[in-house]
Amino acid sequence: MIFFNWFILTFFLLTIGVLTFKMFYFKNLYEKEAEHKKILQATLKDAEILIKKHQIQLQRSLGNMNILNDEITKLKNDVKAVKSRNSQYRIENEQLKRKIKELENKIEALL
């Protein structure tokens, strides 16, 4: 009977020890999980802030790109206009050269 009581007491103490160990183990895990959750939340907030900053920078860059594209389009149109004027001047220049040659030929024919 003493052995049986000793066995039950030992079993009871071991059970309490195992349960106490599990309780502290899971409490420690819970605390670590809560700490990791706080860290992740802070990291998420930092990431959101960085994303917003980059979005603002991208919007500014896109605005600048639109302005630059408009300027490039204006410059292209100006270049086309200059080329058009140059081709008109070339045509006029060629016509003047022909008239000069015609007049030189007439002068030579008269001499």
Side-chain angles (χ1 to χ4, degrees):
M1 185 80 162
I2 292 175
F3 179 73
F4 182 72
N5 288 340
W6 182 80
F7 179 74
I8 291 178
L9 181 65
T10 305
F11 179 75
F12 181 71
L13 289 176
L14 283 174
T15 305
I16 290 174
V18 169
L19 291 176
T20 304
F21 173 76
K22 284 184 176 182
M23 182 183 71
F24 284 116
Y25 176 76
F26 287 115
K27 181 183 173 191
N28 190 22
L29 281 179
Y30 177 77
E31 289 171 353
K32 285 183 181 179
E33 184 179 330
E35 184 179 325
H36 287 294
K37 186 176 180 180
K38 288 179 184 177
I39 292 170
L40 287 174
Q41 287 174 342
T43 304
L44 181 62
K45 286 180 184 178
D46 290 343
E48 288 173 349
I49 291 169
L50 286 174
I51 288 170
K52 286 179 184 178
K53 285 181 181 178
H54 287 295
Q55 284 175 338
I56 291 169
Q57 288 175 349
L58 284 172
Q59 288 172 349
R60 287 180 185 159
S61 296
L62 287 174
N64 291 338
M65 286 178 62
N66 289 335
I67 292 169
L68 290 174
N69 281 335
D70 292 343
E71 291 296 321
I72 288 171
T73 303
K74 288 177 186 176
L75 286 173
K76 285 181 179 178
N77 291 336
D78 290 346
V79 167
K80 286 179 185 176
V82 167
K83 285 182 179 178
S84 174
R85 276 188 246 130
N86 282 344
S87 65
Q88 288 173 354
Y89 292 144
R90 281 189 205 130
I91 291 170
E92 290 175 7
N93 192 19
E94 291 297 323
Q95 290 173 349
L96 289 174
K97 284 181 182 179
R98 282 188 206 134
K99 285 184 182 179
I100 290 172
K101 282 188 181 182
E102 288 175 9
L103 290 173
E104 285 177 348
N105 289 339
K106 286 181 181 179
I107 291 173
E108 284 180 18
L110 292 174
L111 293 176

